[in-house]
Amino acid sequence: MNHLKRIPGYSLLRVLACIAIIILHMFASAEILFQNVITPEQITGSNIIVNCMMWAVPCFVMVTGALLLDENREVSFDKLFNKYILRALGALVVFSMVFRIFDIIMDKESFGLKSILKGFYEIFTGTGWSHIWYLYLLIGLYLLLPFYKKIAKASSNSELKYLLVIYLIFLSLIPLTQLAGIQSKFYIHVSTIYPFYLFCGLRSPMRASGFPK
């Protein structure tokens, strides 16, 4: 087992990101709750503060990448599922149900099997409290972590930069054209079925029998 030294800078980043998340949600919630009484200037000020705190979630993900994609950190399938994924899934279920019970009390719903089943429906569909979205993100990253680690380990710095540029162009810059009413048809296969078919080609009978490359 590898015993990696704790890096204080990462812990500090997490603390600062937690504070930023609290500030972000505090001002965003206040704007919703008091939207009928606050002035346009206060709304603008609130939006500025919220936008300035948006770095927090990307920072959390980058720290996760710095730690888990480290080639010196071994993450077996047993550890991946029994520690990382199970912990995130457990937090998702527990807190989603806690918020469901809170909604039942505040909305004066009748407490019963139907209301509990609605909680599990909200967990599956992600229609409960919106800030739970990060746990869905985390579970998705964990599920593909073994392959992300292989990419990180086998890639040179220039190849990793190429990957980052591709992600930036297709997932950040091109979608901005929608602000001008332009819908681009170019995309990369982040969440489509087509990579499944691509890898199915590796298991094709013709390839297994020595079909010419």
Side-chain angles (χ1 to χ4, degrees):
M1 172 183 280
N2 293 327
H3 295 281
L4 300 179
K5 184 179 179 181
R6 177 181 289 274
I7 302 175
Y10 290 152
S11 298
L12 177 60
L13 280 174
R14 282 174 163 172
V15 170
L16 295 175
C18 283
I19 295 173
I21 289 292
I22 292 172
I23 294 173
L24 186 156
H25 283 281
M26 180 177 67
F27 278 88
S29 299
E31 185 176 332
I32 294 173
L33 289 172
F34 303 105
Q35 57 184 319
N36 295 325
V37 295
I38 56 178
T39 65
E41 291 77 14
Q42 290 172 324
I43 293 176
T44 300
S46 176
N47 289 336
I48 290 174
I49 293 174
V50 168
N51 289 330
C52 287
M53 298 297 109
M54 287 293 184
W55 60 269
V57 170
C59 185
F60 271 126
V61 179
M62 284 189 282
V63 170
T64 298
L67 296 174
L68 297 186
L69 295 181
D70 188 330
E71 62 179 9
N72 296 316
R73 182 184 293 271
E74 296 181 3
V75 181
S76 64
F77 280 103
D78 181 67
K79 184 176 183 180
L80 177 66
F81 281 90
N82 293 328
K83 180 181 179 181
Y84 295 114
I85 294 178
L86 185 62
R87 185 166 57 187
L89 189 59
L92 174 63
V93 172
V94 169
F95 285 99
S96 292
M97 296 308 294
V98 168
F99 294 140
R100 174 89 277 270
I101 293 173
F102 179 82
D103 287 339
I104 291 172
I105 295 173
M106 297 302 295
D107 297 337
K108 296 182 172 55
E109 298 180 29
S110 58
F111 188 83
L113 180 60
K114 184 177 180 181
S115 58
I116 296 299
L117 290 177
K118 183 180 178 182
F120 285 104
Y121 173 81
E122 290 177 347
I123 292 172
F124 183 76
T125 58
T127 53
W129 285 38
S130 60
H131 61 280
I132 297 291
W133 73 270
Y134 184 77
L135 292 172
Y136 293 96
L137 161 70
L138 208 55
I139 292 171
L141 291 176
Y142 287 157
L143 286 171
L144 289 176
L145 185 63
F147 303 98
Y148 291 151
K149 286 184 70 68
K150 287 183 180 294
I151 292 172
K153 184 176 182 179
S155 300
S156 64
N157 285 335
S158 59
E159 288 170 334
L160 288 174
K161 289 177 181 177
Y162 169 79
L163 178 63
L164 293 175
V165 168
I166 291 297
Y167 274 134
L168 177 65
I169 292 173
F170 284 92
L171 302 180
S172 182
L173 298 182
I174 288 181
L176 289 177
T177 61
Q178 297 178 23
L179 297 176
I182 302 172
Q183 182 71 45
S184 173
K185 295 301 292 184
F186 290 101
Y187 65 96
I188 54 174
H189 301 282
V190 175
S191 57
T192 72
I193 189 62
Y194 297 104
F196 170 81
Y197 298 132
L198 188 70
F199 283 102
C200 277
L202 287 173
R203 313 305 302 171
S204 67
M206 287 187 293
R207 186 179 186 277
S209 61
F211 188 77
K213 296 181 180 179

